[in-house]
Amino acid sequence: MDLPIWPHAGLPFHTGELAAQERAGKRERLAAVANRVIRGEMPEQHRTFFAQLPFLLVGAVGADGLPWATVLAGKPGFAHTPDARHLRIDALPMPGDPAQSALARGARIGLLGIELHTRRRNRMNGIVVERDEAGLTVEVEQSFGNCPRYIQLRDLSFAEPATAAAAWQGDALDDQAAAWLRGADTLFIATSHTTSEAEGAHTGGVDVSHRGGKPGFIRVDDDGTLTFPDFNGNNYFNTIGNLLANPRAGLVVPDFADGSLLHVGGRAEVVWDGAELTSFAGAERLVRLHVERVVRRPGVLPLRWQLREYSPVLEDTGAWPAP
């Protein structure tokens, strides 16, 4: 059966993504395949994949202009597809989630479905066309797969959420947040851009993506900034391209052992070269985040994970030098 293709005129990339592809020497190769690998609807295998997931990563832009990444969870089947152009999500953000008001009708959002126990992941970006008391309906604008590199294998179990505790909020990292980040091996990053009239209405909006590394791959400096590597990936440059167009980002870092979430938002910059980059084996770029907001949400997910093994690809990456 033939897979769907990109149904619109032009490439499915905006000017920021194209600029990042050009700088990395990948633009010509991507132009030759983009209309076949990025689609305007979900292929059947993606529809089946989303329906078997117990959680989704979601990115959306809040009223403060910050993109926020968050997690929506439910029993498998809570995300399902009435047709190839729509994804229904029977879940909403809980109180204290910084993305709660961002997931409104008409909002552009990014979605990532990921299975940590198989390293499968697929992406979908679109528009919220309905929000009701039970959840969201998202109309597809972009649907595409991702490679399994840098994903740590984790086995999943279900649990009752911990007794609700108030979310902690601040405008800088406290000691607990800094320690959490220094020990992490996985983060998810939400970024966004504003589509120009010349680019048309189908080149994106918001994206949420996975980043993985050896524990300690997120460096927390004394000034409270975060720095982490951008390893070789699919070369679409969705995240990096968005940051070139709009240098704001939101991270969510799960505590896989107890279902807690740490959200960090701020202004980002891309480090393309220099001694700092070359000191980290395997990194092609670095992302530095100047923290503006922090939200810590204890025990909010009804999910727990146990580490099985780190990605074997990480053997070719280094460790952070001392700041």
Side-chain angles (χ1 to χ4, degrees), residues 19 24 39 46 60 69 115 121 126 128 135 154 187 228 268 272 306 317:
R39 310 171 181 96
H46 288 202
E115 279 186 339
R121 58 174 166 162
V128 178
R154 283 185 158 91
L187 66 82
F228 56 90
W272 290 90
Q306 183 172 4
T317 66

Side-chain angles (χ1 to χ4, degrees), residues 62-171:
D64 56 3
L66 272 175
W68 288 107
T70 195
V71 182
L72 297 180
K75 293 294 184 182
F78 87 103
H80 51 96
T81 58
D83 56 63
R85 293 292 316 282
H86 295 89
L87 181 70
R88 173 66 188 184
I89 305 169
D90 291 326
L92 290 170
M94 292 178 284
D97 192 325
Q100 184 177 33
S101 62
L103 297 178
R105 183 186 174 112
R108 283 271 179 80
I109 68 171
L111 292 166
L112 169 64
I114 185 168
E115 279 186 339
L116 298 181
H117 67 284
T118 66
R119 292 196 173 108
R120 288 185 65 194
R121 58 174 166 162
N122 290 304
R123 304 259 282 279
M124 196 269 271
N125 299 334
I127 300 175
V128 178
V129 293
E130 181 182 353
R131 174 168 172 158
D132 53 39
E133 293 181 356
L136 311 167
T137 301
V138 182
E139 184 176 83
V140 178
E141 288 194 311
Q142 295 183 334
S143 175
F144 52 103
N146 270 167
C147 72
R149 284 180 288 178
Y150 316 114
I151 299 174
Q152 330 302 354
L153 277 181
R154 283 185 158 91
D155 295 318
L156 171 70
S157 61
F158 293 88
E160 291 297 324
T163 302
W168 178 89
Q169 300 189 43
D171 57 8

Side-chain angles (χ1 to χ4, degrees), residues 95-303:
D97 192 325
Q100 184 177 33
S101 62
L103 297 178
R105 183 186 174 112
R108 283 271 179 80
I109 68 171
L111 292 166
L112 169 64
I114 185 168
E115 279 186 339
L116 298 181
H117 67 284
T118 66
R119 292 196 173 108
R120 288 185 65 194
R121 58 174 166 162
N122 290 304
R123 304 259 282 279
M124 196 269 271
N125 299 334
I127 300 175
V128 178
V129 293
E130 181 182 353
R131 174 168 172 158
D132 53 39
E133 293 181 356
L136 311 167
T137 301
V138 182
E139 184 176 83
V140 178
E141 288 194 311
Q142 295 183 334
S143 175
F144 52 103
N146 270 167
C147 72
R149 284 180 288 178
Y150 316 114
I151 299 174
Q152 330 302 354
L153 277 181
R154 283 185 158 91
D155 295 318
L156 171 70
S157 61
F158 293 88
E160 291 297 324
T163 302
W168 178 89
Q169 300 189 43
D171 57 8
L173 301 172
D174 63 355
D175 290 344
Q176 183 176 343
W180 187 326
L181 292 164
R182 289 189 176 108
D185 60 45
T186 300
L187 66 82
F188 301 94
I189 179 170
T191 55
S192 69
H193 81 284
T194 301
T195 305
S196 71
E197 185 175 341
E199 289 174 314
H202 302 285
T203 55
V206 180
D207 178 82
V208 63
S209 184
H210 166 275
R211 293 292 187 272
K214 294 177 182 177
F217 85 114
I218 306 172
R219 193 182 73 198
V220 183
D221 290 324
D222 291 341
D223 62 358
T225 60
L226 311 179
T227 307
F228 56 90
D230 189 59
F231 297 125
N232 176 267
N234 58 21
N235 296 315
Y236 299 167
F237 291 94
N238 306 117
T239 297
I240 300 298
N242 278 354
L243 292 178
L244 294 184
N246 175 19
R248 306 194 82 190
L251 312 182
V252 65
V253 184
D255 184 321
F256 293 107
D258 71 2
S260 299
L261 294 175
L262 177 67
H263 306 263
V264 183
R267 179 176 54 83
E269 59 180 299
V270 181
V271 178
W272 290 90
D273 47 35
E276 186 181 16
L277 173 62
T278 57
S279 68
F280 195 108
E284 296 192 343
R285 290 153 296 275
L286 305 176
V287 176
R288 180 171 291 117
L289 186 72
H290 300 264
V291 175
E292 297 174 356
R293 278 194 65 197
V294 181
V295 180
R296 185 168 55 245
R297 302 167 61 213
V300 292
L301 294 180
L303 307 169

